[in-house]
Amino acid sequence: QVQLVESGGGSVQAGGSLRLSCAASGYTYSSYCMGWFRQTPGKEREGVAVLYNGGLSTYYADFVKGRFTISRDNGKNTLYLQMNSLTPEDTAMYYCAAAGRWGCGGYIGSVFPSSRFGYWGQGTQVTVSS
């Protein structure tokens, strides 16, 4: 049973930083694929950053390149998302996600499909004010 628990969200002013954490239990697949998605009301969930291909490859959405960094601590079974230079457009519910034993493949075009992930956390809210 895979369980994902996010933390670290909150309110910050534009230009500020936050670090999200995702504590994963029961996730032991060698085909490691975990990432962060975000969603705002009325919009589809979109991929933000993903560690895939056994953790050897990294995907970042164009809108976060150079600002966000995804990383993991194997010893703590924790996935992180360091978010710098936040803007009001980054305001969203952020979700941690993990793929199953077969991994998650790669991104298509510039998008990482959320349908490839079978495990989701409850989400953590990030609010950026101008």
Side-chain angles (χ1 to χ4, degrees):
Q1 183 77 7
V2 176
Q3 291 188 324
L4 307 173
V5 180
E6 304 100 332
S7 62
S11 297
V12 65
Q13 289 192 326
S17 298
L18 284 172
R19 188 176 80 156
L20 305 184
S21 299
C22 173
S25 60
Y27 190 76
T28 58
Y29 302 129
S30 59
S31 55
Y32 185 96
C33 177
M34 291 187 66
W36 293 94
F37 288 73
R38 72 185 189 185
Q39 189 171 25
T40 55
K43 294 185 67 177
E44 291 189 1
R45 195 168 295 187
E46 59 183 0
V48 175
V50 177
L51 273 176
Y52 65 105
N53 189 25
L56 300 178
S57 301
T58 305
Y59 159 86
Y60 290 102
D62 290 341
F63 51 80
V64 303
K65 284 180 180 177
R67 301 189 299 125
F68 291 11
T69 303
I70 189 171
S71 63
R72 64 171 175 168
D73 184 326
N74 291 336
K76 295 182 179 179
N77 290 327
T78 300
L79 184 73
Y80 300 100
L81 184 68
Q82 178 66 44
M83 306 187 295
N84 299 328
S85 302
L86 286 161
T87 73
E89 288 69 36
D90 295 315
T91 295
M93 184 71 79
Y94 284 73
Y95 296 90
C96 176
R101 67 171 58 194
W102 306 116
C104 57
Y107 55 89
I108 300 175
S110 61
V111 175
F112 218 115
S114 62
S115 59
R116 296 183 180 177
F117 295 79
Y119 304 100
W120 294 88
Q122 81 288 352
T124 186
Q125 178 67 37
V126 171
T127 302
V128 184
S129 59
S130 58

